[in-house]
Amino acid sequence: MAIQYGISGTTAKGIAASVERGVAEGALGPGAALPSVRRLADELAVSPGTVATAYKELRQRGIVVTRGRGGTVVAPAPAVASRRPPKVPDGLRDLAGGHPDPRLLPSLVPPSRLSPGARSHRSTPRLARLEDAVRDWLRPDGVPVEQVTFAHGALDLIGRLLSVELRPGDGVAMEDPGYHHLLDLVTALGLRVVPVAVDDEGVRPDAVRKALHAGVRALVCSPRAQNPYGGRFSTARRDELVALLRDQPDVLVVENDHASAVAQAPLRTMAGHGLTRWVHVRTVSKFLGTDLRWAAAACDATTLARHDGRLLLTSGWVSHLLQETVLGLMTDEGTRALSARAEEQYGVRRSALLRELRERGIEAHGASGINLWVPVRDESAVVNGLRSHGWWVAAGARFRMAAGPGVRISVADLEPVDAARLASHFAVVLGESEATYGG
């Protein structure tokens, strides 16, 4: 497909930026053919080496691809929802979804007083009482609360920020293994995912350092209840990461504290430790209800202005009815007691399965949250083997990039009495897998 867009520039950087603008503005669609190196060099009166350097940079950033004799073309649009989980087969115990236990969620009752009619919510997008409640929620954990905002969930907020802050092809450091919907989102935005290895303390500093050297423009990570590995920041890990990021004023640091109240681990936030660009995001779906698509965020002043400016141009505001519902639940003593019970129960269930697996010599990770990550040699063999015993767990492929294979087990409604049975079946399946696939 020939292009009509006029590429400009006299340097490699300028030419690359011109192509990138064309992609961002839609003038250069997926599959659009760029001029040959020699032809564009003649048109711009620059050396072929300058154009070749520009094209090389664009390839490295994932904006274009080279197809041999087919020349250089704009990279295909990323697939959306490519990591969607398969449907749970009938009759199996679902330990793959990562959802909270419905028995530990409050009843969702909309507020009795609805909106009095048409009015400009754009002038007052956030309920002042909910802003105060959010500040009271974040402040004890050491998160600066001078600037707060709301969104329709963490993915909505993170997607909006990345689309405002970054350009197609920019690199985003992402946890590996990490949350599959976030990985899909970054790819769908035309951004380049740079995998960052994790361990029981969250993202590893050596991997973050490598990503920074690769020129990433943002880091998205979880300070606790990391999904699917379960890591949580220690104070030493947090401090080491802050030391790396403090001198990176152009890198946006996104903390996704998605489990907060039921994470079974204290928050050790990077916010307020000298970072220039940062945002701390919290959602309530894991302890107030999965239908409450609402998120709160604290951030630096620039990030607040850019997020709210884009929000104003799209949905405008988060429904006041939704805000009233969240406020009612957050300030209800019974709901708070239920959340505390949920956190305790999730910790008991997670610890029980970890103990049972380790007693059988099976390595597993899950320092916080409601998920365990179990490294395995063959994901399909383990998933299918456990299926034959009545269990359904998540194959790790959709969560990982460069990380080794594994399976994710969600323990939110796995009672301790069932942990020993699952661990025994897991050990049998691993033995069968070793016999079949050679260990």
Side-chain angles (χ1 to χ4, degrees), residues 119-131:
R119 61 181 178 183
S120 177
H121 289 337
R122 291 180 184 273
S123 61
T124 54
R126 295 185 292 274
L127 295 178
R129 291 173 296 136
L130 185 52
E131 281 191 336

Side-chain angles (χ1 to χ4, degrees), residues 86-93 387 392:
K87 182 179 179 181
V88 180
D90 293 336
L92 298 186
R93 180 76 179 276
R387 176 178 180 174
W392 186 247

Side-chain angles (χ1 to χ4, degrees), residues 142 182 265 344 401-402:
L182 267 175
E344 178 186 9
M401 294 162 283

Side-chain angles (χ1 to χ4, degrees), residues 1 30-33 59 64-77:
M1 172 170 59
R59 282 196 302 273
V64 302
V65 295
T66 298
R67 294 176 172 171
R69 293 183 179 179
T72 299
V73 301
V74 176

Side-chain angles (χ1 to χ4, degrees), residues 319-361:
S319 162
H320 281 204
L321 177 59
L322 176 57
Q323 292 187 49
E324 289 280 8
T325 302
V326 172
L327 176 63
L329 291 169
M330 287 182 65
T331 56
D332 177 68
E333 290 300 325
T335 300
R336 288 178 177 175
L338 183 60
S339 296
R341 179 172 166 241
E343 181 178 34
E344 178 186 9
Q345 287 298 311
Y346 293 153
V348 168
R349 296 169 188 180
R350 177 176 46 80
S351 297
L353 183 56
L354 278 172
R355 181 177 62 254
E356 295 290 349
L357 289 171
R358 289 170 178 170
E359 285 180 357
R360 291 160 176 80

Side-chain angles (χ1 to χ4, degrees), residues 143-210:
V143 179
V145 294
E146 287 78 9
Q147 289 88 214
V148 299
T149 190
F150 305 155
H152 300 92
L155 288 171
D156 176 67
L157 184 140
I158 294 171
R160 185 174 296 113
L161 280 176
L162 293 181
S163 67
V164 171
E165 298 281 346
L166 278 62
R167 299 177 298 175
D170 280 344
V172 181
M174 304 290 294
E175 296 165 327
D176 183 24
Y179 183 39
H180 56 100
H181 289 309
L182 267 175
L183 297 174
D184 283 344
L185 174 64
V186 170
T187 303
L189 291 173
L191 303 173
R192 179 168 47 92
V193 173
V194 178
V196 174
V198 301
D199 59 22
D200 291 329
E201 296 183 67
V203 289
R204 285 171 32 187
D206 60 328
V208 173
R209 183 181 295 109
K210 184 177 179 180

Side-chain angles (χ1 to χ4, degrees), residues 35-49 51-52 55:
S36 68
V37 169
R38 188 166 297 280
R39 176 184 157 196
L40 185 57
D42 290 342
E43 291 177 356
L44 299 179
V46 298
S47 72
V51 176
Y55 280 10

